[in-house]
Amino acid sequence: MLEAVEAMTTEDLMAEIGQRARAAGHVLATAPADQKNDALRKMAEAVRQATPDILAGNKLDVDAMTANGQTAAFLDRGTLTAERIEAIAAALEDIVALDDPVGSVMAAWERPNGLKIERVRTPLGVIGVIYESRPNVTADAGALCLKAGNAVVLRGGSDTIHSNRAIHAALQKGLSAAGLPEDAIQIVPVTDRAAVGEMLRGLGGNLDVIVPRGGRSLVERVQTEARVPVFAHLEGLVHIFLDKSADLEKSLDIVVNSKLRRTGICGALETLLVHEGVANSHMPQIIRALQEKGCEIRGDDRVRDICEGVVPASEEDWSTEYLDKILSVKVVPDLNAAMSHISRHGSSHTDCILSEDQAAADRFQSEVDSAIVLHNASTQFADGGEFGMGAEIGIATGRMHARGPVGVEQLTSFKYKVRGTGQTRP
Amino acid sequence: MLEAVEAMTTEDLMAEIGQRARAAGHVLATAPADQKNDALRKMAEAVRQATPDILAGNKLDVDAMTANGQTAAFLDRGTLTAERIEAIAAALEDIVALDDPVGSVMAAWERPNGLKIERVRTPLGVIGVIYESRPNVTADAGALCLKAGNAVVLRGGSDTIHSNRAIHAALQKGLSAAGLPEDAIQIVPVTDRAAVGEMLRGLGGNLDVIVPRGGRSLVERVQTEARVPVFAHLEGLVHIFLDKSADLEKSLDIVVNSKLRRTGICGALETLLVHEGVANSHMPQIIRALQEKGCEIRGDDRVRDICEGVVPASEEDWSTEYLDKILSVKVVPDLNAAMSHISRHGSSHTDCILSEDQAAADRFQSEVDSAIVLHNASTQFADGGEFGMGAEIGIATGRMHARGPVGVEQLTSFKYKVRGTGQTRP
């Protein structure tokens, strides 16, 4: 643990955190899978044992949030219960079951001269996670980074600092009990924004990648200012294209689930594009079902001609991520028009085609340039857990390295091992 | 082609190049493999036909370089002959034979709910290549980017601008003959440094990655100033560790080849670390062989005690990439000392162990954190062609996305295709 934090400038403090993280990262990089898994199990145990401390810390946070007049939704996200703490511990144990990516052979081949070449996964190094109010991220992100052999520097929101610190103390107990360096998972002990600035500048070369978890303004700041790579998405402006061959019953279920299962997640549907061939046959029933569940529909003129109770959509609606019970709907003449709407207004996150025409689905999945392109399934499957990756640290829309759900495997780099028997180059 | 270049500011010119590249990139992203290969063949044909134009352009460049008093080595790199132009055309044809990475399935799995998930390669988008005096890069880089479905913006050195322009004109002829947009391969038609600045700022979001090819000062500037990802290495401070179990004859060949086959490439050996157990038995013969071929040896005290004609090494020598007939040599007590020397002084590019002890080789290859880690083979194999990747646009030491030789496959991103039968998320 860092001593005498009060006496240090934020700059010095963050520099020291970076150096400690790098040193711990060197140890983690070659730590055996068993030892990392042992640490994860002991971290879970320590979190369970620390339940009273975590609840006490969380009470301080919740009282302060209440006094500050935070909304009920915000308070709910920040509040911990014994049940939620058990879920945090169980999530740590789930990560034990994931394959250890470090050292796994991604590709192997032999050259005509007998050289054997392997591309092998290695850790990325040190990962910085900047997050807002959910305290479970402290444990989730810490554990995922550890599993992939990375050290992590966590910078949580000031609203949940006491909760985060109590969880973090338990994680360090688990690390230490397994013989791994406590500095493998560090938490920034101060809440001033200058600490974030230091992370964005890369902690003097000791931070390899930043993962921002939070609202748009946080992600935007990180993407604009960071001097190191960022794994993130700015927004999930998710489309479904209802093709002329779409099956009505299937589509009804999928659209309602995509929009309303949870409206606040990045995989939630925001715009429905309807092929004019099924505007009369399919659209009214789908829109009615959404409206009956309290969803506001904003449509273009053709939608409003066909359906009742539809608010006129403005140009802005096509570029708005509502994260709420609102859906924009537009009738398009064909697949090309749908794809060009998505290309213009989409955020390269997740898009979906509902179609019984395999050729149309193939074209859509090949040509739409999004991290996740679905056919005949709910857009709410845009999630590392649902992808079978066990867990994710976030979803990325960038084109380099990590794209889509960022799981343990995406938290690694790789190297080439070349094995010879004395070959020299002519 | 851009019209009226003279009348535009560099900023406007580069912005237009970026927009044209992005538009061409959209076309290339879904261009079939056959069409891209057809373009590559027609580009080769056009280069052959343009031999007189290319030679004429090159004469202008060579005359100017001579007038400017450039060194013989520099002149040689910039000079084209009919033979070298034929080699450029043949290299284009070689790229036809590589597998098209776009659309290839990197991984596929099925979820318990029946969702089928594929991770599929997609192009990166628009690639910027900033290079110095070798005109063949114009064709090589253009062709590799094309093969991977990317548009490319080429900015060659001013010394070879006429050669580059003549080659580029031939490439565009080939593109056009194959029905692909000429803007898929653009060359920056001006030589002022402001154009590079615009590329480093990302051409208004229209450049996805930059590949610098050139000397240390160029790469350093790009790495420091670029606002988009960079695939590069600053230097190749390459080590060989001669283990105590090393075979003398094999080691002699490998060390001489690693240092002297070509001294100016990034895979050339710069520091030899010798296990003290073989300092007397192996080192003198190896050092003598190097000295006989004109290589200067700079050693620590123990090397100088054992061998003759060794210059004392200064602290700076351990961190110097000579790119010349000079080698620094140090005696170390064991494998750990060798690895910690490499960790301190290396550049994470290429390092090698010579050893008949499999356990020592395994530890070295797992623990040394370099893009390429060799066992019992020459470090001069650090090359995309030698790796069987067909060709490379460069070698990267970064930890994200592209590491080691950057071939066609590394010039791609990926997406997830998810295929359902109506699944909704509970």
Side-chain angles (χ1 to χ4, degrees):
Chain A
M1 288 288 282
L2 289 158
E3 311 291 339
V5 162
E6 297 75 15
M8 296 175 85
T9 65
T10 299
E11 202 181 328
D12 289 346
L13 170 70
M14 296 306 293
E16 187 172 332
I17 286 176
Q19 285 156 18
R20 285 164 176 261
R22 181 63 75 201
H26 285 311
V27 177
L28 283 190
T30 54
D34 286 349
Q35 191 180 15
K36 291 185 287 184
N37 287 336
D38 186 38
L40 289 166
R41 279 191 213 96
K42 287 184 166 136
M43 283 156 60
E45 203 179 300
V47 165
R48 285 195 184 100
Q49 279 171 5
T51 301
D53 297 345
I54 297 170
L55 288 174
N58 187 245
K59 188 170 182 315
L60 294 177
D61 292 333
V62 172
D63 288 351
M65 284 189 270
T66 311
N68 292 338
Q70 290 289 8
T71 62
F74 191 91
L75 266 174
D76 179 62
R77 290 198 301 164
T79 301
L80 290 174
T81 60
E83 208 174 22
R84 287 184 177 182
I85 294 170
E86 170 53 33
I88 289 172
L92 290 170
E93 288 166 342
D94 286 347
I95 292 173
V96 172
L98 300 180
D99 287 337
D100 187 330
V102 178
S104 76
V105 178
M106 304 162 71
W109 64 95
E110 188 168 338
R111 298 287 302 146
N113 59 8
L115 283 182
K116 290 177 178 153
I117 302 180
E118 283 182 353
R119 183 160 57 217
V120 172
R121 288 197 193 281
T122 64
L124 283 174
V126 181
I127 297 174
V129 183
I130 302 174
Y131 55 107
E132 291 176 336
S133 63
R134 291 177 197 273
N136 64 302
V137 175
T138 308
D140 289 352
L144 271 180
C145 292
L146 173 70
K147 180 85 187 194
N150 299 294
V152 62
V153 177
L154 301 165
R155 202 284 188 184
S158 53
D159 290 310
T160 50
I161 180 128
H162 299 98
S163 317
N164 293 338
R165 278 184 179 173
I167 293 169
H168 175 252
L171 302 182
Q172 287 200 317
K173 253 188 211 165
L175 286 167
S176 175
L180 287 174
E182 289 194 347
D183 288 334
I185 303 177
Q186 291 181 87
I187 194 164
V188 177
V190 295
T191 57
D192 64 319
R193 283 168 68 89
V196 172
E198 292 298 327
M199 288 177 75
L200 298 182
R201 279 187 288 280
L203 301 181
N206 286 320
L207 204 57
D208 297 294
V209 59
I210 293 179
V211 184
R213 289 281 302 264
R216 193 188 159 102
S217 69
L218 170 69
V219 178
E220 211 154 26
R221 181 186 172 202
V222 171
Q223 286 188 331
T224 310
E225 296 179 24
R227 300 292 303 165
V228 292
V230 177
F231 294 165
H233 64 272
L234 204 51
E235 55 183 12
L237 220 152
V238 175
H239 298 80
I240 287 182
F241 172 52
L242 188 77
D243 189 26
K244 67 168 185 287
S245 68
D247 175 85
L248 174 55
E249 204 175 333
K250 210 184 274 178
S251 302
L252 186 66
D253 285 351
I254 290 175
V255 172
V256 171
N257 186 265
S258 297
K259 179 68 243 181
L260 296 177
R261 176 184 159 274
R262 281 178 63 189
T263 55
I265 66 173
C266 57
L269 176 66
E270 305 293 6
T271 298
L272 176 67
L273 302 169
V274 180
H275 192 292
E276 61 182 7
V278 289
N280 287 301
S281 57
H282 291 28
M283 187 169 66
Q285 202 173 328
I286 292 172
I287 285 185
R288 211 157 40 235
L290 290 162
Q291 287 170 328
E292 279 165 9
K293 290 177 190 291
C295 182
E296 177 183 324
I297 306 295
R298 301 188 186 173
D300 67 359
D301 289 346
R302 298 187 64 183
V303 177
R304 299 185 70 222
D305 286 346
I306 298 169
C307 301
E308 279 172 32
V310 175
V311 179
S314 69
E315 191 55 31
E316 213 188 319
D317 278 301
W318 311 121
S319 302
T320 301
E321 186 192 28
Y322 303 113
L323 296 174
D324 201 350
K325 287 187 167 188
I326 306 170
L327 180 71
S328 57
V329 185
K330 187 183 190 124
V331 174
V332 294
D334 56 20
L335 173 62
N336 283 333
M339 293 197 297
S340 87
H341 180 101
I342 293 170
S343 162
R344 189 158 155 223
H345 298 285
S347 59
S348 300
H349 188 292
T350 296
D351 295 290
C352 174
I353 182 171
L354 303 179
S355 176
E356 300 304 310
D357 173 357
Q358 192 58 49
D362 287 348
R363 267 200 68 204
F364 186 91
Q365 290 198 297
S366 293
E367 296 186 22
V368 170
D369 178 32
S370 298
I372 301 171
V373 200
L374 297 128
H375 174 209
N376 287 351
S378 169
T379 61
Q380 301 238 351
F381 285 116
D383 175 274
E386 294 298 325
F387 268 51
M389 294 178 176
E392 63 170 44
I393 201 166
I395 289 191
T397 50
R399 305 185 65 76
M400 305 286 158
H401 195 79
R403 202 174 187 221
V406 183
V408 167
E409 207 173 87
Q410 287 70 40
L411 294 177
T412 60
S413 178
F414 57 87
K415 68 164 83 162
Y416 292 94
K417 293 185 179 181
V418 184
R419 299 191 172 96
T421 51
Q423 286 87 345
T424 57
R425 189 169 166 188
Chain B
M1 288 289 282
L2 289 159
E3 310 292 341
V5 162
E6 297 75 15
M8 296 175 87
T9 65
T10 299
E11 201 181 329
D12 288 347
L13 170 70
M14 295 307 292
E16 188 173 333
I17 286 177
Q19 286 156 18
R20 285 163 176 262
R22 180 64 74 200
H26 285 311
V27 177
L28 283 190
T30 54
D34 285 350
Q35 192 180 14
K36 291 184 289 185
N37 287 336
D38 186 38
L40 289 166
R41 278 190 212 97
K42 288 184 166 135
M43 283 155 60
E45 204 180 299
V47 165
R48 286 193 182 101
Q49 280 171 5
T51 301
D53 296 346
I54 298 170
L55 288 173
N58 187 245
K59 187 169 184 318
L60 293 177
D61 292 333
V62 171
D63 288 350
M65 285 189 270
T66 311
N68 292 338
Q70 290 289 7
T71 62
F74 192 92
L75 267 174
D76 178 61
R77 290 198 301 163
T79 300
L80 290 174
T81 61
E83 208 175 24
R84 286 183 177 185
I85 294 170
E86 170 54 32
I88 289 173
L92 289 170
E93 288 166 341
D94 286 346
I95 293 174
V96 172
L98 301 181
D99 287 337
D100 187 331
V102 178
S104 75
V105 177
M106 304 163 72
W109 63 96
E110 189 169 336
R111 298 287 301 146
N113 59 10
L115 284 181
K116 290 175 179 155
I117 302 179
E118 282 180 355
R119 183 160 58 218
V120 172
R121 289 198 192 280
T122 63
L124 283 175
V126 181
I127 297 173
V129 183
I130 302 174
Y131 55 108
E132 291 176 337
S133 62
R134 291 178 198 272
N136 64 303
V137 174
T138 308
D140 289 352
L144 271 180
C145 291
L146 173 71
K147 181 84 186 195
N150 299 295
V152 62
V153 176
L154 301 165
R155 203 283 188 186
S158 53
D159 290 310
T160 52
I161 182 130
H162 300 98
S163 317
N164 293 337
R165 278 186 179 171
I167 293 170
H168 175 252
L171 302 182
Q172 288 201 318
K173 252 187 213 167
L175 285 167
S176 175
L180 286 175
E182 288 193 348
D183 288 334
I185 303 176
Q186 291 182 86
I187 193 163
V188 176
V190 294
T191 56
D192 62 320
R193 283 169 66 90
V196 173
E198 293 297 327
M199 288 178 76
L200 298 182
R201 279 187 289 281
L203 302 182
N206 286 320
L207 205 58
D208 296 294
V209 60
I210 293 178
V211 184
R213 289 280 303 263
R216 192 187 160 104
S217 69
L218 169 69
V219 178
E220 210 153 28
R221 181 184 172 203
V222 171
Q223 286 188 332
T224 309
E225 296 180 23
R227 300 290 303 163
V228 293
V230 177
F231 293 165
H233 65 271
L234 203 52
E235 57 182 13
L237 220 151
V238 175
H239 298 79
I240 287 182
F241 171 52
L242 188 76
D243 189 27
K244 67 168 185 286
S245 68
D247 175 84
L248 174 56
E249 203 175 334
K250 210 185 273 179
S251 302
L252 186 65
D253 284 350
I254 291 175
V255 171
V256 171
N257 185 265
S258 297
K259 178 69 244 181
L260 296 176
R261 177 185 159 272
R262 281 178 64 190
T263 55
I265 66 174
C266 57
L269 177 65
E270 305 294 6
T271 298
L272 177 66
L273 302 169
V274 179
H275 192 293
E276 61 182 8
V278 289
N280 288 301
S281 57
H282 291 28
M283 187 168 66
Q285 201 172 327
I286 292 172
I287 285 184
R288 209 155 44 236
L290 290 162
Q291 286 169 329
E292 279 166 8
K293 291 177 188 293
C295 184
E296 175 182 326
I297 306 294
R298 302 190 185 171
D300 68 359
D301 289 346
R302 298 186 64 183
V303 176
R304 300 184 70 222
D305 285 348
I306 298 168
C307 302
E308 279 172 33
V310 175
V311 179
S314 70
E315 191 53 33
E316 213 188 320
D317 278 300
W318 311 121
S319 303
T320 301
E321 186 191 26
Y322 303 113
L323 295 173
D324 202 350
K325 286 187 168 190
I326 306 170
L327 180 71
S328 57
V329 184
K330 186 187 190 118
V331 174
V332 294
D334 56 21
L335 173 62
N336 283 333
M339 294 198 296
S340 87
H341 179 101
I342 293 170
S343 162
R344 188 158 155 225
H345 298 284
S347 58
S348 301
H349 189 293
T350 295
D351 295 290
C352 175
I353 182 171
L354 303 179
S355 176
E356 300 305 310
D357 172 358
Q358 193 59 47
D362 287 347
R363 266 199 69 204
F364 186 91
Q365 290 198 299
S366 293
E367 296 185 23
V368 170
D369 179 32
S370 298
I372 301 171
V373 199
L374 298 129
H375 174 210
N376 286 352
S378 169
T379 61
Q380 301 237 353
F381 286 116
D383 174 273
E386 293 299 324
F387 268 51
M389 294 177 177
E392 63 171 44
I393 200 165
I395 289 191
T397 49
R399 305 185 65 76
M400 305 285 159
H401 195 81
R403 203 173 186 223
V406 183
V408 168
E409 209 172 85
Q410 288 69 40
L411 294 178
T412 60
S413 178
F414 57 87
K415 68 164 83 164
Y416 291 95
K417 293 186 179 181
V418 185
R419 299 191 172 97
T421 51
Q423 286 87 344
T424 57
R425 187 168 166 191

